Amino acid sequence: MPAPCRLDVGRAAHALLEEYDVSFEFKLQARGDAPAPRYRQVTIGHPQVEVVEEGGILHMRSLEALLPRPERLLDRLLHWAQVTPEQTFIAARDTSGEWRRISYAQMLADVRAIAQSLLAYGLSAERPLAILSGNDIEHLQMALGAMYAGIPYCPVSPAYSLLSQDFAKLRHVCDLLQPGLIFVSDAAIYQRAIEAVLPGDTPLVAVHGELAGRPQVSFASLLAHPGGAEAEAAFRACGPDSIAKFLFTSGSTKLPKAVITTQRMLCANQQMLLQTFPVFAEEPPVLVDWLPWNHTFGGSHNLGIVLYNGGTLYLDGGKPTAQGFAETLRNLKEISPTAYLTVPKGWEELVTALETDGELRERFFARIKLFFFAAAGLSQSVWDRLDRVAEQHCGERIRMMAGLGMTEASPSCTFTTGPLSMAGYIGLPAPGCEVRLVPVDGKLEGRFRGPHIMPGYWRAPEQSAEAFDDEGYYRSGDAIKLADPCNPQFGLMFDGRLAEDFKLSSGVFVSVGPLRNRAVLEGSPYVQDLVIAAPDRECLGALVFARLYECRRLSGLPAQASDAQVLASEPVRLWFADWLQRLNRQASGNASRLEWIALQDEAASIDRGEITDKGSINQRAVLQWRAAHVEALYRGLEPSILRAGKPS
């Protein structure tokens, strides 16, 4: 077995920069005479890593030990309620548009009262609390109240109730969990789903409204009496192995699985984050965030950063869509975040607004220290525009960070604290996380071990057993490769999902990751991402998600033109037709040749699971939700289709 290799990645980065002329995030010394760009001062960890190769399997870990952390996440709520009792923990707009604020002290009092009330329902892991609600203050109070009482809860995707027609996934969730209590923000909105799926004797807690014929109390009634000795005893009985919540996977290939999320997982991941980003301890983080709490990025990562470090979370009622982003901009004109975290589509919308709105720039850049995005999908053009608008406004850039995470890891495993900066780079293991790269079907599967990894899936022993290898590493299903095979200490690259690959009806095997990566690279700056269609068909096509900002400029249409009109314009269609021909000139057969493409005027939806925990496209979910569209494309019934010419 080779001896462990320990390398200072800062020094090594210079060598790689000189040899390969690659982009270097921290720009210690740019090639040539051009001065290195200036970045806003921020404290980021740069731990050394150990890399060991054994029998063709690569092991990687941080040499920085994970420091002691609380036994329970809500130990941090108690801490901040004592240290900074009047500090705003969470704020959301009320019906008048003003910010309603809840301090740490008030939150603790409310949580204790709710915990005391919940104990009367006899809830447990076998009969947990199910939450049917979007992000709001009462949702958080209810969730933390359950956690304080040692009662697992599950934030259920609102899409299962509000977008689904048959409620199949909601029914699966309820059949699996057997919830003993339902919390609902608005009874009327969720009435049809509740009546279709839940037994009539399942009690309900509602913030607004009533459902006839069902045992029900108001949310306000849970706060009527302060928490007592029973609530305190329940809290003290919780420990690192106690289940905090169940989070469901996207269920793109099978029905969603319930990830058992323990107190140890949540605390360990937040400690990983703090050691990676010590800046969170220097100033209480302020986030303006829209990401849903049924999603691990929003509900564990972002919310956890605020709670663990005594910060403030401003609930953003907007979304990175044409319809919803105006609300996000309204919020960012009032609140200056210290860090901003969103998906690539959100960054595209925001940079466009920053370029034209001086008031927004003044507020947004006032105290921002860090940007975050999910590693797959942010275009270099958007990144460059962010750098440019920051330099023009405040004379310095803001560091952009990314990484790799998943629901099963609560969620973070790696961060881009390494020396490189490139599309798909996911960096180096966080303190406490061990990484294994194992050859699987011609690729390397990323496997992970550490205190942040789940013990398994709820009531799914076979799936739980399949999820781990013989060494106890979680099999992520993510294909990962070395950024530089000759220098593994430089970190890791995301290489798609192993399960994305499929066969055509002819039996020809299609390797989706390399095809999609090549297409996105060749499609700059107009292609954001694409989904390769489709298993068991006679040929390949692609659903293409375009970068609408660039396409709008290319189209020459006025600003009021719709997205559909932009994508249907002649200059845009001509460019994409030419792109398709260029791609196919590199094709070696049916497994890499696209016979058609279709530009999508509806963005991929995080609510429908079309966006993964990593912020990347979920191929199977897109094909599932757009099955009728795909069928029409293969039948030649979609006039918007762009077809390839005959192979040369």
Side-chain angles (χ1 to χ4, degrees):
M1 173 176 149
C5 176
R6 302 184 180 184
L7 184 68
D8 182 325
V9 296
R11 292 195 301 271
H14 285 290
L16 187 66
L17 187 66
E18 290 300 316
E19 185 174 354
Y20 296 102
D21 195 23
V22 300
S23 175
F24 179 28
E25 168 66 15
F26 303 110
K27 310 292 194 302
L28 298 177
Q29 179 61 57
R31 288 181 73 87
D33 298 326
R38 176 184 171 189
Y39 283 85
R40 182 164 290 181
Q41 179 61 40
V42 61
T43 310
I44 298 174
H46 300 288
Q48 295 181 340
V49 295
E50 177 184 86
V51 182
V52 177
E53 189 275 336
E54 184 178 7
I57 297 174
L58 198 69
H59 299 258
M60 183 180 293
R61 69 180 182 92
S62 169
L63 290 175
E64 180 180 336
L66 190 63
L67 297 177
R69 57 262 179 210
E71 291 191 341
R72 300 156 294 233
L73 185 62
L74 292 190
D75 285 338
R76 301 302 286 170
L77 178 60
L78 270 68
H79 172 79
W80 297 117
Q82 182 177 8
V83 175
T84 56
E86 300 308 312
Q87 167 81 21
T88 298
F89 174 21
I90 188 168
R93 292 194 186 274
D94 59 23
T95 53
S96 68
E98 299 300 316
W99 289 105
R100 173 193 168 199
R101 300 170 182 269
I102 304 292
S103 69
Y104 277 91
Q106 184 181 344
M107 179 62 78
L108 179 58
D110 291 347
V111 162
R112 282 171 166 163
I114 292 168
Q116 186 74 33
S117 298
L118 291 180
L119 289 173
Y121 287 91
L123 304 176
S124 66
E126 305 296 326
R127 299 181 66 251
L129 167 70
I131 294 179
L132 302 184
S133 172
N135 296 4
D136 58 40
I137 289 175
E138 291 80 10
H139 176 155
L140 181 60
Q141 290 171 318
M142 196 73 176
L144 299 186
M147 196 184 295
Y148 201 90
I151 298 166
Y153 73 97
C154 177
V156 182
S157 170
Y160 295 176
S161 300
L162 305 181
L163 298 181
S164 176
Q165 297 303 308
D166 61 5
F167 307 117
K169 288 187 176 180
L170 179 64
R171 186 171 287 105
H172 166 71
V173 166
C174 293
D175 287 346
L176 181 65
L177 295 182
Q178 295 293 303
L181 181 67
I182 304 295
F183 169 84
V184 61
S185 55
D186 190 317
I189 293 175
Y190 290 90
Q191 180 173 357
R192 195 167 74 90
I194 291 172
E195 292 180 345
V197 171
L198 288 158
D201 60 353
T202 306
L204 187 75
V205 175
V207 181
H208 305 289
E210 296 182 4
L211 295 185
R214 183 178 295 273
Q216 180 176 336
V217 299
S218 70
F219 174 77
S221 70
L222 303 185
L223 299 169
H225 303 286
E230 296 87 350
E232 295 309 303
F235 177 66
R236 298 300 172 191
C238 295
D241 293 318
S242 298
I243 300 174
K245 60 182 174 180
F246 300 108
L247 282 177
F248 276 82
T249 61
S250 63
S252 59
T253 58
K254 299 178 181 178
L255 286 170
K257 300 185 290 288
V259 174
I260 300 170
T261 304
T262 66
Q263 296 286 346
R264 175 183 286 105
M265 293 166 62
L266 295 173
C267 293
N269 208 256
Q270 286 304 317
Q271 186 60 37
M272 290 175 173
L273 276 158
L274 180 56
Q275 289 178 228
T276 304
F277 305 105
V279 64
F280 291 150
E282 298 172 354
E283 178 185 6
V286 176
L287 303 188
V288 179
D289 191 46
W290 65 272
L291 281 158
W293 292 337
N294 62 280
H295 194 273
T296 189
F297 193 18
S300 295
H301 185 279
N302 295 2
L303 182 58
I305 287 173
V306 171
L307 175 55
Y308 203 79
N309 300 286
T312 300
L313 178 68
Y314 289 89
L315 289 183
D316 178 13
K319 286 187 177 181
T321 64
Q323 301 76 24
F325 203 69
E327 179 64 17
T328 295
L329 295 179
R330 175 194 181 194
N331 295 331
L332 290 175
K333 282 187 176 182
E334 293 186 22
I335 307 299
S336 298
T338 61
Y340 194 70
L341 311 91
T342 191
V343 297
K345 176 64 175 173
W347 282 117
E348 292 181 29
E349 295 282 353
L350 180 58
V351 73
T352 300
L354 287 168
E355 288 169 338
T356 58
D357 191 328
E359 181 186 356
L360 176 66
R361 290 194 297 272
E362 192 68 33
R363 182 70 70 173
F364 184 72
F365 286 112
R367 54 180 179 178
I368 197 81
K369 295 290 184 64
L370 284 172
F371 294 158
F372 287 80
F373 79 105
L378 187 65
S379 75
Q380 191 62 49
S381 64
V382 171
W383 199 327
D384 291 344
R385 289 164 62 197
L386 278 166
D387 283 343
R388 188 162 53 249
V389 74
E391 287 180 319
Q392 290 171 350
H393 181 77
C394 48
E396 54 193 2
R397 298 179 181 182
I398 308 300
R399 299 204 184 277
M400 178 69 78
M401 309 302 300
L404 181 72
M406 59 214 69
T407 307
E408 290 86 349
S410 64
S412 306
C413 291
T414 70
F415 294 104
T416 53
T417 52
L420 308 181
S421 173
M422 62 186 74
Y425 182 59
I426 57 174
L428 295 163
C433 178
E434 300 176 76
V435 181
R436 223 181 177 204
L437 299 186
V438 181
V440 176
D441 296 332
K443 293 188 176 183
L444 295 173
E445 181 186 28
R447 302 182 182 180
F448 305 92
R449 187 170 68 179
H452 62 308
I453 300 295
M454 68 169 187
Y457 300 111
W458 184 245
R459 291 175 173 158
E462 292 183 2
Q463 290 176 315
S464 297
E466 292 170 358
F468 294 90
D469 65 16
D470 294 340
E471 299 296 321
Y473 285 80
Y474 168 67
R475 305 173 187 257
S476 71
D478 290 323
I480 294 173
K481 61 184 180 182
L482 295 170
D484 178 10
C486 298
N487 295 280
Q489 296 84 4
F490 292 131
L492 305 168
M493 303 284 294
F494 185 71
D495 197 29
R497 293 281 298 168
L498 296 175
E500 288 179 338
D501 298 342
F502 58 81
K503 289 183 179 180
L504 293 170
S505 59
S506 62
V508 173
F509 186 79
V510 179
S511 183
V512 170
L515 176 56
R516 188 169 70 198
N517 291 342
R518 179 167 61 86
V520 172
L521 184 65
E522 184 72 26
S524 179
Y526 299 110
V527 176
Q528 176 179 328
D529 214 328
L530 70 157
V531 168
I532 305 297
D536 301 320
R537 298 283 188 169
E538 69 278 6
C539 65
L540 298 179
L543 306 181
V544 180
F545 297 91
R547 299 195 182 278
L548 286 166
Y549 174 84
E550 283 83 0
C551 289
R552 190 171 292 276
R553 294 176 65 187
L554 177 63
S555 74
L557 294 176
Q560 62 268 28
S562 68
D563 293 348
Q565 289 171 325
V566 167
L567 296 177
S569 68
E570 185 176 3
V572 171
R573 287 181 63 83
L574 284 173
W575 189 93
F576 276 95
D578 181 67
W579 169 69
L580 176 58
Q581 305 312 318
R582 294 199 309 272
L583 285 177
N584 282 338
R585 283 197 288 270
Q586 304 174 52
S588 56
N590 288 346
S592 56
R593 175 180 166 81
L594 297 175
E595 293 296 334
W596 55 262
I597 60 173
L599 305 181
Q600 305 296 291
D601 57 17
E602 181 186 5
S605 166
I606 195 169
D607 292 326
R608 297 198 298 250
E610 293 181 323
I611 303 293
T612 72
D613 294 346
K614 306 165 186 64
S616 57
I617 287 287
N618 184 330
Q619 175 164 305
R620 281 184 168 79
V622 170
L623 293 176
Q624 183 183 68
W625 279 101
R626 304 177 192 230
H629 178 51
V630 172
E631 180 64 29
L633 286 162
Y634 274 105
R635 290 179 177 271
L637 302 177
E638 275 282 354
S640 62
I641 195 170
L642 286 169
R643 297 188 180 277
K646 294 183 179 180
S648 56

